């Protein structure tokens, strides 16, 4: 634990102890010596007056600062316990049932928010704050939604849609708006993508619902990829296709089923075009790129052994010979001393 975190925790505990002590003194649960009482009695009286001040009346009940402080204290303790209970429930379910990570996250989130709602209701009931306060808060929430809170609510709902419908899951490799990444977390507000460069990108959940994305591993981790190569005109095309197939089938990461396919794709301007399609098992984007690179290295080695030339851009220059060419030889200019 860092020094800053330790200091913050000490201050938090000290403030809580002081607050509890003051509350107990104000309620008469702790008796102080008369000398001390004479000194602190005005302070306690003022504190008690503020503590019991009626902030608002709702129906037959009312709300005071004291009720709010106690409710917040109970709520804080309750939220800590709720978080631990949800994590413990997740751990026990994982050890007892064979559930995937996405199902466990959905269960954990559902249990967490249900327990949070129970804690809030219990906190209000313990301090006798009437539940009709939600009528007032409902109007405030409606105003907040009108000023932009709908985006937050939309992301929250979209997060549950993603976990229930599972268009993307934790561990999926997706492409979203030109960004490639692995889904590492589906949160209440946003989804975290880890790019091949180890960067974490936070994408609002509503954008993943509303916009098109490519999920490379939605059904399984098998993906088809391809490598293209061009050879010089005059090369033995059948031998070229056989060598390309050999380079692919020799690689351990290339799947035998479905079988690789070599296609003679084009008579290009500068080359005879070939493309080989094959399937690989991809758990991250680098897996596919490494296999493609290995196949290219092997194709280059086999072509060199067979004396086959990989083409490069060429241009033929045609001269207009309808009239004699004017060719002049110029002597080098004398160099100045």
């Amino acid at each position: 634990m860092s020094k800053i975190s330790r200091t913050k925790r000490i201050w938090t505990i000290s403030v809580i102890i002081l607050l509890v002590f003051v509350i107990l003194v104000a309620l008469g649960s702790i008796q102080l010596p008369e000398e001390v009482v004479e000194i602190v009695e005005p302070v306690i009286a003022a504190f008690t007056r503020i503590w019991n001040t009626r902030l608002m009346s709702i129906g037959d009940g009312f709300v005071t600062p004291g009720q709010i402080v106690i409710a917040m204290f109970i709520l804080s303790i309750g939220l800590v316990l709720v978080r631990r209970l949800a994590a413990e429930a997740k751990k026990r379910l994982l050890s007892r049932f064979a559930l995937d990570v996405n199902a466990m996250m959905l269960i954990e989130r559902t249990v967490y928010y249900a327990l949070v709602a129970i804690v809030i209701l219990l906190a209000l009931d313990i301090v006798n704050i009437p539940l009709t306060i939600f009528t007032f808060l409902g109007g405030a929430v409606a105003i907040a939604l009108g000023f932009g809170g709908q985006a937050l609510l939309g992301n929250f709902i979209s997060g549950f849609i993603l976990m229930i419908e599972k268009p993307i899951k934790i561990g999926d490799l997706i492409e979203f708006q030109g960004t490639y990444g692995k889904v590492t977390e589906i949160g209440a507000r946003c989804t975290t993508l880890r790019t091949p460069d180890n960067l974490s990108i936070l994408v609002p959940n509503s954008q993943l619902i509303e916009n098109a994305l490519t999920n490379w591993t939605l059904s399984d981790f098998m993906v088809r990829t391809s490598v293209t190569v061009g050879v010089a005109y005059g090369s033995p095309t059948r031998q070229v296709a056989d060598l390309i197939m050999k380079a692919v089938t020799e690689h351990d990461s290339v799947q035998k089923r479905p079988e690789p396919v070599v296609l003679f794709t084009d008579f290009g301007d500068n080359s005879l075009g070939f493309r080989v399609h094959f399937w690989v098992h991809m758990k991250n984007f680098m897996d596919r790129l490494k296999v493609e690179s290995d196949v290219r290295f092997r194709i280059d080695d086999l072509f060199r052994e067979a004396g086959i030339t990989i083409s490069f851009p060429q241009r033929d220059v045609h001269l207009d010979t309808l009239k004699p060419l004017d060719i002049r030889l110029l002597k080098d200019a004398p160099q100045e001393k």
Side-chain angles (χ1 to χ4, degrees):
M1 185 184 298
S2 64
K3 185 176 180 180
I4 296 177
S5 300
R6 189 182 300 110
T7 303
K8 186 184 296 185
R9 176 171 292 186
I10 292 174
W11 274 103
T12 303
I13 295 174
S14 301
V15 171
I16 292 174
I17 293 175
L18 179 60
L19 181 61
V20 171
F21 177 77
V22 172
I23 293 173
L24 292 176
V25 171
L27 296 176
S29 300
I30 297 179
Q31 299 295 328
L32 298 177
E34 294 184 359
E35 296 82 1
V36 177
V37 171
E38 293 179 358
I39 298 174
V40 300
E41 188 174 5
V43 177
I44 294 176
F47 178 81
T48 303
R49 186 168 56 254
I50 296 174
W51 185 266
N52 296 321
T53 301
R54 295 188 180 186
L55 298 178
M56 65 180 70
S57 296
I58 302 176
D60 296 333
F62 53 86
V63 179
T64 66
Q67 291 175 315
I68 294 175
V69 171
I70 295 176
M72 294 300 294
F73 179 76
I74 296 173
L75 187 61
S76 301
I77 300 299
L79 290 179
V80 173
L81 295 177
V82 162
R83 192 179 300 275
R84 297 197 176 186
L85 285 174
E88 186 65 24
K90 175 183 176 182
K91 186 185 301 182
R92 290 183 178 275
L93 288 175
L94 277 175
S95 61
R96 184 167 299 183
F97 302 101
L99 298 176
D100 62 3
V101 178
N102 298 277
M104 288 307 309
M105 176 169 288
L106 177 61
I107 294 173
E108 182 186 13
R109 292 287 167 80
T110 304
V111 170
Y112 175 75
Y113 290 117
L115 291 177
V116 167
I118 293 173
V119 167
I120 293 175
L121 294 177
L122 286 176
L124 295 177
D125 183 66
I126 290 173
V127 297
N128 296 321
I129 295 179
L131 296 181
T132 50
I133 191 175
F134 287 109
T135 305
F136 171 78
L137 295 178
V141 170
I143 295 174
L145 292 177
F147 282 99
Q150 68 272 17
L152 182 61
L153 182 60
N155 288 325
F156 181 80
I157 297 174
S158 298
F160 273 95
I161 293 175
L162 290 174
M163 288 187 287
I164 294 173
E165 293 188 353
K166 299 181 181 179
I168 61 173
K169 305 180 296 295
I170 294 177
D172 279 353
L173 304 177
I174 70 171
E175 177 187 356
F176 180 70
Q177 296 182 349
T179 300
Y180 294 84
K182 184 175 184 178
V183 179
T184 58
E185 182 183 1
I186 301 176
R189 189 187 65 84
C190 61
T191 296
T192 303
L193 303 182
R194 182 68 57 84
T195 68
D197 297 326
N198 202 33
L199 300 176
S200 295
I201 298 179
L202 305 180
V203 182
N205 292 328
S206 59
Q207 291 191 15
L208 296 175
I209 294 292
E210 298 168 358
N211 298 288
L213 60 84
T214 302
N215 190 338
W216 288 68
T217 56
L218 177 61
S219 56
D220 53 41
F221 288 93
M222 291 279 292
V223 296
R224 192 183 74 170
T225 184
S226 63
V227 170
T228 59
V229 63
V231 297
Y233 273 89
S235 301
T237 54
R238 295 293 181 183
Q239 184 182 5
V240 169
D242 292 340
L243 292 176
I244 294 174
M245 179 64 75
K246 180 180 179 181
V248 171
T249 55
E250 287 179 350
H251 201 290
D252 295 335
S253 298
V254 175
Q255 303 297 310
K256 307 303 180 184
R257 292 288 184 275
E259 294 182 356
V261 177
V262 179
L263 301 176
F264 186 176
T265 57
D266 193 18
F267 292 97
D269 294 338
N270 306 298
S271 65
L272 303 174
F274 290 82
R275 177 181 294 115
V276 57
H277 296 272
F278 53 93
W279 293 78
V280 296
H281 189 76
M282 185 176 69
K283 287 198 171 181
N284 57 67
F285 287 105
M286 191 57 66
D287 290 343
R288 176 177 61 89
L289 298 178
K290 288 172 63 177
V291 175
E292 292 176 358
S293 177
D294 292 341
V295 170
R296 291 188 183 98
F297 276 122
R298 186 56 179 157
I299 289 174
D300 182 65
D301 292 339
L302 293 176
F303 280 8
R304 288 178 186 273
E305 295 173 2
I308 297 174
T309 302
I310 297 178
S311 65
F312 52 88
Q314 302 180 33
R315 292 291 182 270
D316 293 334
V317 179
H318 298 274
L319 302 176
D320 184 5
T321 57
L322 296 178
K323 58 183 180 179
L325 299 177
D326 184 13
I327 301 177
R328 300 181 183 182
L329 299 178
L330 301 177
K331 294 183 179 181
D332 294 337
Q335 297 182 353
E336 297 181 359
K337 295 183 179 180

